[in-house]
Amino acid sequence: KVLHIIDTLWLGGAQTLLKNIFECKSNTAKSFLFALRKTTPSIHIDNSQKEIYNSNSRWSLFPLFRLMKIITKKEIDIVHCHLPRSQIFGFILKLFLPKIRLVYHEHGDIYEKGWVLPLLLRILQLKVDLFIACSNSMKEALLRRAMINSAKISVLYNCVEPCLPIENQTLAGKNRQRQKVGIEKNDFVVGFAGRLIERKGWDDFLRAAKITIESKSGKGIMFLIAGVGPDESKLKTKIRKLGLSSHVVYVGFIDEMTRFYSIVDCCVMSSKWEGLPLVQLEAMANEVPLITYNSPGMDEVPTNNLDSLSVETGDVEGLSEKILLLKGNENIRRRIKKAARNTVMKMNPDIYLGNLDSLYHSIF
């Protein structure tokens, strides 16, 4: 029996991954999910085996008592921790309940938390039975920054639920979604989705948009941004400063991302680094052509430009060139859609759960 612990169910890749595996039919009654606090907004996970601790406090230790009760009552064998606060809780639980197996899942925070988290992981690894890295770049970060024992680390790529291809959706439905956000039905729409923080590259996306609409072939192109985060006000200010108010639509939080993918004709991912981004996999599953930086974590799943297009990290003009290439060449768009879907079909939740179960068995 496995208990997954996560800091919150706020919007993020780790939370989306848990949604994918807990809503998968292959998931069994032996898996449980516990979030340490409430947030708004949050990802809804349709599974009765989840619990969100009734507190908004980031620092409270009271969830520990509830966790110990769950572990004892449910006879939990494995505690699987996602994100830093959960990892600290897992370490404390192991001190009091030494028979449990402890799993740490690295989604990318080791890049983002300066020197504190690597040092903490270096200390906590004494009680950890298995580290799961969501990409090879995350494994390298664990080895290099936290000096984790390589024998304890396994790479397991994130999973995504294969979707109904966008082209199979009705044109009328697509046009209705576009109308709701003020986009014309014949526009070529370039999308960006993610947390509004600096390393996600929203600023590069806007600069690429500026270059694109000022080009000779830029007529009829619109840009759609979905997401929330601390840089929201900076984003809105930048849109005005660049004179993009009539070309960029910011829709904020979208609770159902299939609506977003049904509107856009391609997606741009301009992150400086990622763990293994769920937006990347979701776009591929929805047959939305991708343009990405070849940053760490984004260069592992797509292969040799068959299932996406990539440019050097920071090459804003390159992003613009690829946008115009996709707009003007339907054959390339079709090739990418087909190849991308074939790639992510091998990354579905059923296969993921089977691989995860094998990793669990390896620590007994």
Side-chain angles (χ1 to χ4, degrees), residues 56-102:
N56 296 314
S57 173
R58 184 187 296 270
W59 309 110
S60 173
L61 291 175
F62 285 111
L64 270 173
F65 300 104
R66 178 60 185 157
L67 284 166
M68 293 183 72
K69 186 175 181 180
I70 292 172
I71 292 170
T72 303
K73 182 178 179 180
K74 303 290 186 182
E75 298 181 333
I76 297 297
D77 302 296
I78 298 171
V79 173
H80 188 146
C81 302
H82 306 261
L83 308 182
R85 185 174 175 229
S86 303
Q87 292 169 343
I88 294 172
F89 273 56
F91 179 83
I92 297 172
L93 289 168
K94 179 94 172 184
L95 293 177
F96 287 96
L97 303 167
K99 290 185 178 180
I100 62 171
R101 298 297 194 272
L102 186 59

Side-chain angles (χ1 to χ4, degrees), residues 284 299-308 339 343:
M284 294 170 73
D299 59 354
E300 297 188 29
V301 173
T303 55
N304 61 27
N305 275 358
L306 289 177
D307 40 22
S308 71
T343 296

Side-chain angles (χ1 to χ4, degrees), residues 8-9 43 45 53-54 76 148 174 184 192 209 223 255 268 297 317 337:
T8 74
L9 292 181
I43 289 178
I45 297 178
Y53 192 75
N54 189 26
I76 297 297
I148 304 300
K174 181 174 183 176
E184 298 293 329
F192 173 98
F223 296 83
D255 59 352
V268 169
E317 292 185 355
K337 288 178 181 181

Side-chain angles (χ1 to χ4, degrees), residues 71-304:
I71 292 170
T72 303
K73 182 178 179 180
K74 303 290 186 182
E75 298 181 333
I76 297 297
D77 302 296
I78 298 171
V79 173
H80 188 146
C81 302
H82 306 261
L83 308 182
R85 185 174 175 229
S86 303
Q87 292 169 343
I88 294 172
F89 273 56
F91 179 83
I92 297 172
L93 289 168
K94 179 94 172 184
L95 293 177
F96 287 96
L97 303 167
K99 290 185 178 180
I100 62 171
R101 298 297 194 272
L102 186 59
V103 176
Y104 280 7
H105 204 130
E106 182 53 53
H107 297 276
D109 288 87
I110 192 169
Y111 267 141
E112 211 165 21
K113 305 296 183 182
W115 60 269
V116 176
L117 183 59
L119 177 61
L120 188 64
L121 290 178
R122 194 181 309 174
I123 297 169
L124 299 184
Q125 71 170 309
L126 296 173
K127 294 293 183 181
V128 179
D129 297 283
L130 173 68
F131 286 84
I132 295 178
C134 65
S135 64
N136 285 302
S137 66
M138 287 299 99
K139 179 179 179 179
E140 288 301 315
L142 286 169
L143 291 170
R144 186 179 68 257
R145 303 198 67 201
M147 298 183 183
I148 304 300
N149 181 351
S150 61
K152 285 187 173 184
I153 308 173
S154 293
V155 175
L156 181 61
Y157 284 159
N158 293 335
C159 64
V160 65
E161 185 68 46
C163 307
L164 179 69
I166 297 298
E167 63 185 25
N168 291 343
Q169 299 180 13
T170 65
L171 183 60
K174 181 174 183 176
N175 290 337
R176 277 197 303 272
Q177 294 298 333
R178 289 190 166 196
Q179 187 177 24
K180 288 179 181 179
V181 297
I183 293 176
E184 298 293 329
K185 63 180 181 180
N186 292 324
D187 287 333
F188 184 84
V189 184
V190 183
F192 173 98
R195 277 187 298 154
L196 298 181
I197 55 177
E198 182 182 355
R199 64 112 172 153
K200 290 287 186 178
W202 59 264
D203 185 75
D204 285 14
F205 178 76
L206 291 180
R207 290 193 291 132
K210 179 72 171 178
I211 295 170
T212 303
I213 64 170
E214 291 181 346
S215 69
K216 292 181 180 179
S217 305
K219 186 177 180 181
I221 300 180
M222 289 291 292
F223 296 83
L224 181 68
I225 299 177
V228 294
D231 287 358
E232 183 174 336
S233 61
K234 293 181 182 178
L235 170 83
K236 293 177 179 177
T237 300
K238 188 79 171 187
I239 290 172
R240 291 194 299 271
K241 283 186 175 180
L242 291 177
L244 293 172
S245 298
S246 59
H247 300 277
V248 176
V249 177
Y250 171 59
V251 294
F253 170 63
I254 293 183
D255 59 352
E256 184 50 68
M257 282 299 292
T258 53
R259 289 169 45 218
F260 173 83
Y261 296 120
S262 72
I263 294 173
V264 300
D265 294 293
C266 73
C267 272
V268 169
M269 294 194 66
S270 45
S271 300
K272 306 302 187 291
W273 61 265
E274 290 282 356
L276 187 74
L278 267 297
V279 169
Q280 183 182 39
L281 303 184
E282 288 174 351
M284 294 170 73
N286 281 279
E287 296 191 2
V288 175
L290 264 174
I291 304 166
T292 74
Y293 280 159
N294 60 356
S295 305
M298 294 199 296
D299 59 354
E300 297 188 29
V301 173
T303 55
N304 61 27

